[in-house]
Amino acid sequence: MSFKRIFDLLDVPAPQPKVIDGIFDFVPSADPHKAIGEAYDKSIVIYDDYMQSKKLHLRILKRILLGMGKEDTDECTKITRKFIDLVGSGIVLDIPCGTGVFTFEEYAKARNITFIAADYSLGMLKEANKRVKDLGAQNIILVRADVGALPFKNQVFDGVLTLNGIHSFPDKAKAIKELGRVLKHDRGLFGSLCVKRERWLTDIMMELFYFPGKWFTRPALSRREFLGILEANGLKNIKHRLIGPGLLFESLK
Ligand SMILES: C[S@@+](CC[C@H](N)C(=O)[O-])C[C@H]1O[C@@H](n2cnc3c(N)ncnc32)[C@H](O)[C@@H]1O
């Protein structure tokens, strides 16, 4: 796989990325979402263990804060596999990729697909880069970009995956519009997010913990609001289900 492939996907006139440790960085120097990026940069010391509910104290913390545990970890892997099977071959955008904790092992096996794995946090992307190297994956290209201002042309991706991220995005409607814009017709947008009004304790924890820490961004969306945004952006055949406040969804453009 040629890393030059990224340049075929770029909007015209092509934005010029910086290249940092093999990561293509399209975030402008004004760094509009610096606080969010830095919050995630700092979280990398516990991120994978927390997300995977690996250590006892983190498992308890995640259960209290989000009402989630092993079952949601398994769902992330399942939805990733289903998404990969649907795409089959081509080029996929995964945003936000984070450290690739739920996805990169699956990506490395799917050799007919090139994965553009993008995130805003350089710290998360550097961890992702270690994972790419450990896996020896040749089909994952790491990109730093803002989901609300993607550097890509219209309709270039054969699938878009957005796992556990929409609740973090500063402008959720703009983000979904961008994800829809870069996706080809009749292709899948799959993902998951945390929604409000499904678990009262999580609603409180968002206010006390996630919003002030910048890991989530106000306003949180309810299930109905989120599904409305998908529909408003031309996504159809929407299927969704809830695990506590975690909403998993599949849709087609
Ligand atoms: C909870 S993590 C999810 C990462 C990964 N998908 C996972 O499941 O582990 C949320 C991610 O959203 C990213 N993020 C927040 N705002 C963003 C933006 N405007 N553009 C791109 N990524 C963003 C953060 O940097 C963070 O890595």
Side-chain angles (χ1 to χ4, degrees):
M1 192 245 341
S2 164
F3 281 81
K4 291 201 181 118
R5 200 158 180 193
I6 186 97
F7 292 99
D8 300 337
L9 306 173
L10 296 179
D11 232 337
V12 177
Q16 285 303 308
K18 287 177 277 186
V19 183
I20 305 169
D21 293 346
I23 299 162
F24 293 90
D25 184 357
F26 292 95
V27 170
S29 50
D31 200 354
H33 308 303
K34 192 168 186 243
I36 298 174
E38 286 179 351
Y40 277 97
D41 290 350
K42 286 183 198 144
S43 79
I44 53 169
V45 279
I46 57 156
Y47 185 80
D48 284 4
D49 287 344
Y50 177 71
M51 291 304 277
Q52 291 178 299
S53 300
K54 262 198 172 162
K55 294 184 179 153
L56 182 65
H57 67 291
L58 295 174
R59 192 154 61 233
I60 294 169
L61 188 66
K62 191 173 173 191
R63 181 64 69 190
I64 295 169
L65 296 180
L66 292 177
M68 293 183 199
K70 177 94 175 60
E71 67 283 9
D72 113 276
T73 307
D74 293 345
E75 289 301 326
C76 287
T77 310
K78 269 192 216 158
I79 199 169
T80 302
R81 286 190 185 140
K82 191 168 179 192
F83 172 74
I84 289 172
D85 286 348
L86 179 78
V87 172
S89 64
I91 304 183
V92 152
L93 174 66
D94 167 3
I95 185 164
C97 66
T99 62
V101 62
F102 296 121
T103 46
F104 284 10
E105 261 185 65
E106 301 303 321
Y107 293 174
K109 292 182 228 160
R111 301 229 175 102
N112 291 333
I113 304 177
T114 298
F115 295 89
I116 307 299
D119 201 284
Y120 198 89
S121 155
L122 195 55
M124 298 292 263
L125 286 164
K126 285 183 178 169
E127 287 299 301
N129 207 5
K130 287 185 201 159
R131 184 164 265 123
V132 169
K133 287 181 183 153
D134 289 349
L135 289 165
Q138 297 293 309
N139 59 341
I140 303 174
I141 300 177
L142 297 173
V143 164
R144 183 166 180 242
D146 176 7
V147 69
L150 293 172
F152 307 113
K153 290 178 199 161
N154 295 347
Q155 299 176 36
V156 280
F157 291 103
D158 298 289
V160 175
L161 184 67
T162 180
L163 271 186
N164 301 323
I166 293 168
H167 47 252
S168 305
F169 297 155
D171 185 335
K172 293 150 186 74
K174 196 171 168 197
I176 293 162
K177 187 172 181 197
E178 277 293 86
L179 300 181
R181 177 182 71 76
V182 299
L183 182 63
K184 292 179 183 169
H185 280 285
D186 291 320
R187 304 303 172 105
L189 170 65
F190 281 35
S192 65
L193 72 154
C194 188
V195 290
K196 68 180 179 186
R197 295 196 202 123
E198 300 296 338
R199 181 176 180 261
W200 65 268
L201 188 53
T202 300
D203 289 353
I204 293 173
M205 291 302 169
M206 284 194 219
E207 294 297 334
L208 293 180
F209 183 71
Y210 282 103
F211 294 141
K214 308 280 182 210
W215 299 292
F216 287 15
T217 308
R218 285 193 180 90
L221 297 174
S222 66
R223 167 170 53 158
R224 186 187 285 252
E225 286 164 344
F226 171 66
L227 297 173
I229 295 176
L230 283 184
E231 278 170 11
N233 284 286
L235 279 310
K236 55 189 186 190
N237 296 12
I238 302 168
K239 289 187 204 151
H240 76 280
R241 62 197 188 84
L242 285 163
I243 302 181
L247 186 152
L248 293 129
F249 71 94
E250 304 172 14
S251 64
L252 286 183
K253 178 170 161 185

